[in-house]
Amino acid sequence: MLPGLAALVALVFTWLSVGQTNKDLQISEQGQITNRFNAAITNLGSASLDVRLGGVYALQRIMQDSPRDQPTVVSVLSAFVRQHASVPVSGFRPAGEYRPATDVAAVVSVLGDRPAGREVSQDGKPLYRVDLSGADLGGLEREVGLTEGGVPRRVNFRFADFTGADLRDAGLENFDLSGASLDHANMAGVKLPNADLRRAFLGGANLTDALLGAADLTGADLDGANLHNAHLSRAEEASETSAADSSADLTGAHLIGADLSAADLRGVLLIGADLTGADLAGADLRGANLTGADLSNADLTGAKLAGAELSGAILRGARGVPPGSSGGSP
């Protein structure tokens, strides 16, 4: 019995020793991360661009190594952008050539490349969000890399807050902006092909001349948005009887009072969309699917509707509707 008891005691001692060793390692690791974090924050405040960039990429490494610290790192980097690239108090700057500073662009890149899946709860709600509200990011060009399968990688800005931001002429191709807040953002000339804007909030946003070909705007809220001369079709030319390839999806989108005059909407899916009072004068809707859409009091004067599907659409009070157009209400 004594040898067995001795072996049992030795086993318990070993287990306790291993547990203590693991605990000591965890404490040491957390201490190292804390030291790295403090050093990175210090670098962010440096007058040297090279040192600031070092701080940015040091925080990126911490975010990769320590999931529990990702919300803190995202908060710090978001604040850096808001502080160093904010829309002037007097309002949006005059249009012209502009590019964000190198360190600001680097921060945006790091935020977009952060590990996905850590910021959403089991019920799909955001645990935290990137806050770039009021940021001046006009002219931003974000290079999108490829996955191992050779397809463009999604840039992760799900649920991000871009309220009141300046995104004019920014290149945001393949951005994941699902659930993002872009209310009253200035997005004139923005390039958003293949972007994911499902359930995004774009109320009052300026999307004049925006490129939205193949963007997914399912359930997006665009109440009062200005989409004058916006392009939502990627086709070079569309047949009058067939839908354009790879056009945007605005199924169920809220476009109440939106300015879509002269917009390129060839082949766009507007099934069940609310276009009450929308300005569609001169818009190109050839091949568009407006099944069940609400076009009450909308202005369709001069709009091209050849091949458009209007079955079940509400046309009460709509102006410029060609005679014989089918709909749920004349």
Side-chain angles (χ1 to χ4, degrees):
M1 293 177 61
L2 289 176
L5 182 60
L8 179 60
V9 171
L11 181 62
V12 172
F13 179 77
T14 301
W15 177 76
L16 291 173
S17 298
V18 171
Q20 184 61 40
T21 300
N22 288 336
K23 185 177 181 180
D24 291 341
L25 287 174
Q26 290 175 2
I27 294 174
S28 176
E29 180 181 358
Q30 289 303 314
Q32 292 177 5
I33 290 177
T34 300
N35 292 334
R36 290 164 56 193
F37 183 82
N38 291 334
I41 295 298
T42 300
N43 289 345
L44 278 183
S46 172
S48 169
L49 173 61
D50 293 339
V51 175
R52 292 198 302 275
L53 288 174
V56 170
Y57 294 120
L59 287 173
Q60 180 184 37
R61 183 60 183 269
I62 292 171
M63 189 163 47
Q64 294 169 345
D65 294 343
S66 178
R68 62 180 291 184
D69 292 306
Q70 182 165 315
T72 303
V73 172
V74 168
S75 177
V76 168
L77 292 178
S78 297
F80 180 88
V81 174
R82 296 197 307 273
Q83 180 180 355
H84 291 83
S86 60
V87 171
V89 177
S90 58
F92 295 116
R93 57 179 171 73
E97 292 295 327
Y98 175 82
R99 290 289 184 275
T102 302
D103 50 355
V104 171
V107 170
V108 175
S109 179
V110 167
L111 288 171
D113 287 337
R114 72 189 188 283
R118 296 178 178 175
E119 66 270 11
V120 181
S121 62
Q122 291 183 347
D123 59 0
K125 295 182 179 179
L127 298 173
Y128 64 91
R129 41 193 331 206
V130 174
D131 184 0
L132 299 179
S133 55
D136 189 347
L137 299 172
L140 176 72
E141 290 293 338
R142 173 74 171 85
E143 184 177 348
V144 178
L146 301 178
T147 64
E148 293 181 357
V151 298
R153 185 177 64 252
R154 279 291 189 195
V155 180
N156 181 19
F157 279 100
R158 287 187 298 169
F159 304 109
D161 188 354
F162 287 95
T163 303
D166 191 342
L167 295 166
R168 282 177 291 176
D169 299 314
L172 309 181
E173 181 177 0
N174 222 50
F175 269 51
D176 184 350
L177 290 159
S178 54
S181 297
L182 292 145
D183 294 305
H184 302 288
N186 193 341
M187 304 171 71
V190 70
K191 295 176 278 293
L192 280 164
N194 298 307
D196 186 346
L197 287 156
R198 290 174 295 170
R199 297 177 299 281
F201 299 91
L202 293 132
N206 180 11
L207 288 155
T208 303
D209 296 312
L211 303 179
L212 291 154
D216 189 346
L217 288 132
T218 302
D221 187 339
L222 293 111
D223 286 1
N226 183 353
L227 289 97
H228 175 71
N229 203 38
H231 299 273
L232 292 99
S233 170
R234 298 191 70 184
E236 292 296 329
E237 56 184 40
S239 167
E240 292 191 0
T241 57
S242 63
D245 294 331
S246 301
S247 296
D249 188 343
L250 283 92
T251 300
H254 298 272
L255 290 152
I256 301 171
D259 184 351
L260 288 154
S261 56
D264 182 356
L265 298 164
R266 291 172 293 171
V268 170
L269 297 177
L270 287 156
I271 301 170
D274 192 344
L275 289 150
T276 304
D279 185 355
L280 290 155
D284 192 342
L285 287 155
R286 289 175 291 172
N289 191 336
L290 290 146
T291 302
D294 190 345
L295 290 155
S296 300
N297 300 314
D299 187 356
L300 291 154
T301 305
K304 299 177 181 177
L305 290 162
E309 179 58 61
L310 289 163
S311 59
I314 301 173
L315 301 170
R316 183 176 50 252
R319 301 183 299 281
V321 181
S325 296
S326 59
S329 177

